Amino acid sequence: MKNLIFSQDNSIDPNGAIGLQKCGIIFWQKTGFLRHCNQLGFQSIITLIDKKFSPTNIQHNGDTCFIQFDNDDNKIIYLSLKKERNSNHYFVYGESHTVYANAEFHLLSLDVVNYISKQIGCKFYVDDATRFLEHYSIEKLKDYIDKFEIPNFESPDLLRKLIIDKQNQK
């Protein structure tokens, strides 16, 4: 996980919209010279993830993608291609509410982000609620997940719709 930079500083997010994560991970591509993604690259990333990690379901809709594992609605990684503010460049952004699942899925999600970063040759900032990237302790990770109180959502589909609606507001 050398390509992941632990951060809780929203000033380094290109859109300045990241807050302190509480229920898993939020990650975004570190941008800079020749460090941008495009539509074709984004589709290629999804194909590579499909081949390497064998998710059970992928819902791909333009610039957004939901990757589901084990047919479990709590084991979903959300990816999107976002436009930088005041720029024509795009970057990869994603999140996963890993504490709704378990520690193994949290580690899998970090592996997926690390894999993406290796494939596109760019580091990722990661806002990790569990702080696993600081302490690398499985016990502390499991303890955080066990103590987390999960809010009730009416359905995972409503949560996905909320994320897409929020994405389309810009």
Side-chain angles (χ1 to χ4, degrees):
M1 293 189 205
K2 291 183 266 182
N3 294 323
L4 306 183
I5 303 167
F6 177 69
S7 175
Q8 293 181 311
D9 178 8
N10 71 353
S11 66
I12 57 178
D13 167 33
N15 287 335
I18 304 297
L20 184 65
Q21 174 65 297
K22 301 256 189 292
C23 62
I25 61 171
I26 294 177
F27 51 92
W28 63 100
Q29 181 182 351
K30 182 178 180 183
T31 56
F33 183 66
L34 295 178
R35 297 284 190 225
H36 303 285
C37 196
N38 61 23
Q39 197 85 32
L40 183 60
F42 185 67
Q43 291 172 352
S44 299
I45 288 168
I46 294 165
T47 302
L48 289 171
I49 290 170
D50 190 20
K51 287 183 179 180
K52 170 124 175 123
F53 295 98
S54 302
T56 53
N57 186 17
I58 294 180
Q59 296 176 13
H60 187 223
N61 183 10
D63 292 346
T64 61
C65 181
F66 292 93
I67 303 169
Q68 182 181 40
F69 293 87
D70 301 331
N71 281 326
D72 186 343
D73 286 333
N74 292 323
K75 293 183 178 180
I76 293 177
I77 298 173
Y78 163 72
L79 290 176
S80 70
L81 192 61
K82 287 193 171 188
K83 188 173 182 179
E84 286 184 27
R85 192 177 353 176
N86 303 324
S87 171
N88 288 329
H89 298 293
Y90 290 83
F91 67 99
V92 176
Y93 166 89
E95 59 187 74
S96 183
H97 298 164
T98 58
V99 297
Y100 294 0
N102 54 35
E104 290 75 24
F105 181 65
H106 187 86
L107 295 174
L108 174 67
S109 297
L110 291 174
D111 280 344
V112 169
V113 178
N114 195 50
Y115 179 74
I116 294 169
S117 69
K118 285 180 185 175
Q119 297 308 310
I120 62 176
C122 185
K123 293 184 184 257
F124 273 74
Y125 290 111
V126 180
D127 183 354
D128 182 355
T130 68
R131 296 186 177 275
F132 178 77
L133 293 173
E134 274 187 332
H135 54 66
Y136 285 98
S137 167
I138 301 290
E139 292 78 29
K140 287 181 181 179
L141 172 63
K142 287 183 178 181
D143 188 49
Y144 185 94
I145 291 172
D146 289 342
K147 290 180 178 174
F148 186 78
E149 292 183 28
I150 299 172
N152 290 329
F153 289 105
E154 291 181 35
S155 79
D157 290 331
L158 288 177
L159 181 60
R160 284 189 205 126
K161 184 179 179 328
L162 178 73
I163 291 171
I164 291 172
D165 289 347
K166 186 177 177 186
Q167 178 87 5
N168 292 335
Q169 286 178 354
K170 294 181 180 178

